[in-house]
Amino acid sequence: MRYENLGRSNIKVSNICLGTMTWGQQNTEAEAWEQMDYAVASGINFFDTAELYPVPRKAETQGLTEAYIGSWLEARGGRDKVILGTKVVGRGDGDWFRPFSDTTRLNREQITYALEQSLRRLKTDYVDLYQLHWPDRPINLFADSRGYVHREAPDSIPLEETLQVLGDLVTQGKIRHVGVSNETSWGVMKALHHSETAKLPRVQSVQNAYNLLNRLYEQGLAEISAREGVSLLAYSPLGGGALSGKYLGGVLPTGSRQQLFPGFASRYQGTAVEQAIGKYKRLAEDHGLTVVQLAQKFVDSRPFVTSSIIGATTLSQLQENIAAFEVPWTPELETGVNRIHLENPDPAP
Ligand SMILES: NC(=O)c1ccc[n+]([C@@H]2O[C@H](COP(=O)([O-])OP(=O)(O)OC[C@H]3O[C@@H](n4cnc5c(N)ncnc54)[C@H](OP(=O)(O)O)[C@@H]3O)[C@@H](O)[C@H]2O)c1
């Protein structure tokens, strides 16, 4: 395991971060505890969660993931040994998140409420990294195409105002550092500008999708990571499981994400995605690897990635994924993935 600073903070995080978003939906509390025990025994010191989890999001299960982490922390102790990241939802229509509002927004009232609820569920009095799950302004990241569609929202909460709230929570000791997620180059640079000019918390990390099927982070954001010292926390390194190759051939394994929640995983479905995965699988096999090993190690070997946020629904998947990071990355693999990327660029934007 490698440990690197989170952004320009003095927090050291493992290069593998344990994703949690299946706990409370696909996974029970006992399975979540088993995963946390195994992860910590393997040297992982970084967990990623969110007030929204588990997914797919719904009122009946919301908060269960944080509650499972809280019960584990209470039973196992050692809160200071774990770097805990959670998130507050951005602008949205989930009417179950706040008792006083039918919509979610990144304003003072809502962020303060959300954090109190997360701390209560997590059974802790601080989180190490508090992330904005997505912005308050309309963004273009979950679009059906790569084209940019500009949408104005004059009532958007200005980023500066949101950062002021987060700054107060840092002063109160409830959060140590601040991060963003599903963010664009403009958003990250704007946040850095505010932190420098108005003495607001510096954004230490960006949590965006990044994997062999979606390398869009390299168009702008990677340079920001390198020059500004902002860590990429890469989510979905296996493209939600698609990069295991198990969906090739059209038979959806029972109990898998694509079989259980087709709409939720649609980004990682379709002909273009399958073509690219087929090529990556052949490349892996030509080098004596599995495509899981190739996909995990590709993300891990990028200099702008501080931690890969992995996910698993079984202990054996978790074991396979953690072990994949031991594979050496070679110039031949680098050439091979770049060739396929040129031929099949970002089929899952
Ligand atoms: N900020 C955000 O908006 C955002 C979005 C997504 C994720 N995240 C974070 O990132 C974490 C990881 O995301 P992800 O779950 O999409 O990551 P992923 O690693 O791309 O996919 C994980 C899923 O793939 C399948 N899988 C994992 N290992 C496998 C293996 N070795 N062989 C075959 N199938 C395997 C499992 O699903 P099945 O068993 O169901 O097939 C597992 O749940 C989340 O838990 C969350 O913490 C954040």
Side-chain angles (χ1 to χ4, degrees), residues 173-193:
K174 293 179 178 175
I175 58 183
R176 292 176 74 191
H177 292 286
V178 166
V180 291
S181 180
N182 300 304
E183 195 39 285
T184 66
S185 308
W186 183 88
V188 177
M189 287 309 295
K190 197 77 180 166
L192 291 174
H193 169 78

Side-chain angles (χ1 to χ4, degrees), residues 23-25 51-68 94-97 121 261:
W23 306 352
Q25 178 67 50
E51 65 162 335
L52 175 146
Y53 293 167
V55 296
R57 61 182 201 157
K58 52 184 180 217
E60 306 86 270
T61 53
Q62 188 250 321
L64 277 180
T65 312
E66 287 185 329
Y68 293 176
D95 62 4
W96 60 90
F97 287 98
R121 287 188 291 263
F261 320 114

Side-chain angles (χ1 to χ4, degrees), residues 36-285:
M36 287 184 272
D37 286 339
Y38 185 82
V40 168
S42 307
I44 292 176
N45 74 348
F46 191 16
F47 296 173
D48 175 69
T49 192
E51 65 162 335
L52 175 146
Y53 293 167
V55 296
R57 61 182 201 157
K58 52 184 180 217
E60 306 86 270
T61 53
Q62 188 250 321
L64 277 180
T65 312
E66 287 185 329
Y68 293 176
I69 296 171
S71 63
W72 181 88
L73 281 172
E74 188 175 56
R76 299 287 190 262
R79 167 69 188 87
D80 58 335
K81 305 281 185 300
V82 176
I83 305 301
L84 196 52
T86 191
K87 314 182 197 82
V88 54
V89 297
R91 184 192 189 112
D93 56 5
D95 62 4
W96 60 90
F97 287 98
R98 315 281 177 247
F100 49 84
S101 174
D102 287 344
T103 57
T104 54
R105 304 299 305 272
L106 291 174
N107 60 25
R108 182 172 295 275
E109 185 185 28
Q110 295 220 16
I111 295 174
T112 307
Y113 176 82
L115 181 61
E116 287 308 322
Q117 298 308 307
S118 286
L119 292 175
R120 179 181 57 75
R121 287 188 291 263
L122 290 163
K123 297 192 194 302
T124 183
D125 48 15
Y126 70 97
V127 291
D128 300 279
L129 179 67
Y130 201 46
Q131 302 156 103
L132 307 176
H133 207 149
W134 61 88
D136 198 87
R137 67 182 198 284
I139 49 162
N140 208 41
L141 282 184
F142 301 110
D144 292 336
S145 81
R146 273 185 226 106
Y148 178 71
V149 179
H150 187 72
R151 284 170 291 156
E152 283 295 345
D155 66 337
S156 293
I157 312 287
L159 201 44
E160 187 174 12
E161 197 176 314
T162 299
L163 287 171
Q164 268 157 2
V165 180
L166 297 174
D168 292 343
L169 295 169
V170 171
T171 305
Q172 291 165 26
K174 293 179 178 175
I175 58 183
R176 292 176 74 191
H177 292 286
V178 166
V180 291
S181 180
N182 300 304
E183 195 39 285
T184 66
S185 308
W186 183 88
V188 177
M189 287 309 295
K190 197 77 180 166
L192 291 174
H193 169 78
H194 290 315
S195 77
E196 283 161 14
T197 54
K199 296 213 178 344
L200 293 170
R202 184 179 171 83
V203 164
Q204 304 290 5
S205 56
V206 184
Q207 181 177 147
N208 275 18
Y210 182 73
N211 53 52
L212 283 171
L213 303 171
N214 177 355
R215 294 178 57 173
L216 293 175
Y217 194 86
E218 293 176 73
Q219 309 298 321
L221 278 160
E223 184 177 7
I224 297 175
S225 284
R227 295 190 190 279
E228 302 291 339
V230 178
S231 293
L232 170 58
L233 307 178
Y235 77 69
S236 301
L238 289 184
L243 278 163
S244 68
K246 69 184 176 185
Y247 295 119
L248 294 176
V251 181
L252 302 182
T254 306
S256 64
R257 188 178 300 176
Q258 287 198 14
Q259 188 258 332
L260 292 170
F261 320 114
F264 176 70
S266 60
R267 179 193 252 207
Y268 297 111
Q269 292 168 347
T271 316
V273 166
E274 289 200 6
Q275 270 176 4
I277 296 173
K279 290 186 184 182
Y280 288 119
K281 190 163 185 285
R282 279 193 295 282
L283 174 70
E285 287 166 359

